[in-house]
Amino acid sequence: MNKSQSTGMYIILAIMVLAFVSMLFNGPATNTQELSYSKFLEMAKNGEIKSVDIDKEYLIAIPVNQPKEQQTEESQKSVSPLLAPQKVGELHYKVLIPTGADVVERLEALNNLEITAKKPSESSQWLGAIGGLILPLL
């Protein structure tokens, strides 16, 4: 192996280590849990949901009460940054929309609920079409 190849390997290794360390200290960005449609409606009626993003097949609901940092007894005694309180990502609920459900009308009837509709991504459609054309060429 010549010198430029080994330098490239060290650069790639350094990038991987930095990415790993960054993941340790940043924690998860979001924590997504599946939720049934009926449980979601119950929570929305009780005022436990802050906002809802409506997609084609799913609702993404953000609850009012978000989880706090988790800290174990060992990490309370330790000074090590690796055992510090773990950051918990923002909690999101993913809800499958039943066929024929009048979701928007039900949500509009509730007060204090922010509703956002999302436009389906066209980039994934283009990537699928391009991938379907490139694969046979390869």
Side-chain angles (χ1 to χ4, degrees), residues 80-99:
S80 170
L82 293 177
L83 297 177
Q86 297 177 353
K87 292 182 182 177
V88 178
E90 184 178 36
L91 179 60
H92 291 180
Y93 293 120
K94 185 176 182 179
V95 182
L96 179 64
I97 301 172
T99 306

Side-chain angles (χ1 to χ4, degrees), residues 12-121:
I12 291 172
L13 181 63
I15 291 171
M16 290 174 59
V17 167
L18 287 174
F20 178 73
V21 169
S22 173
M23 286 188 321
L24 281 177
F25 288 108
N26 289 335
T30 60
N31 177 12
T32 305
Q33 296 178 2
E34 297 244 351
L35 191 65
S36 70
Y37 182 68
S38 58
K39 179 69 176 170
F40 161 73
L41 288 177
E42 179 185 322
M43 290 177 73
K45 286 178 188 174
N46 294 336
E48 298 176 36
I49 302 294
K50 175 172 54 173
S51 66
V52 177
D53 293 337
I54 302 174
D55 205 349
K56 185 177 180 181
E57 297 176 351
Y58 289 96
L59 296 172
I60 302 297
I62 301 172
V64 174
N65 297 325
Q66 291 292 325
K68 306 283 188 251
E69 290 181 342
Q70 297 175 346
Q71 190 170 16
T72 62
E73 289 180 23
E74 295 169 2
S75 64
Q76 290 173 354
K77 297 175 187 173
S78 175
V79 189
S80 170
L82 293 177
L83 297 177
Q86 297 177 353
K87 292 182 182 177
V88 178
E90 184 178 36
L91 179 60
H92 291 180
Y93 293 120
K94 185 176 182 179
V95 182
L96 179 64
I97 301 172
T99 306
D102 55 343
V103 176
V104 177
E105 290 82 16
R106 285 187 174 195
L107 294 178
E108 285 177 342
L110 302 172
N111 295 333
N112 300 328
L113 186 63
E114 180 182 334
I115 303 169
T116 308
K118 300 240 180 191
K119 181 179 178 183
S121 174

Side-chain angles (χ1 to χ4, degrees), residues 3-16:
K3 186 172 177 139
S4 65
Q5 287 178 332
S6 62
T7 304
M9 293 294 287
Y10 287 123
I11 291 172
I12 291 172
L13 181 63
I15 291 171
M16 290 174 59

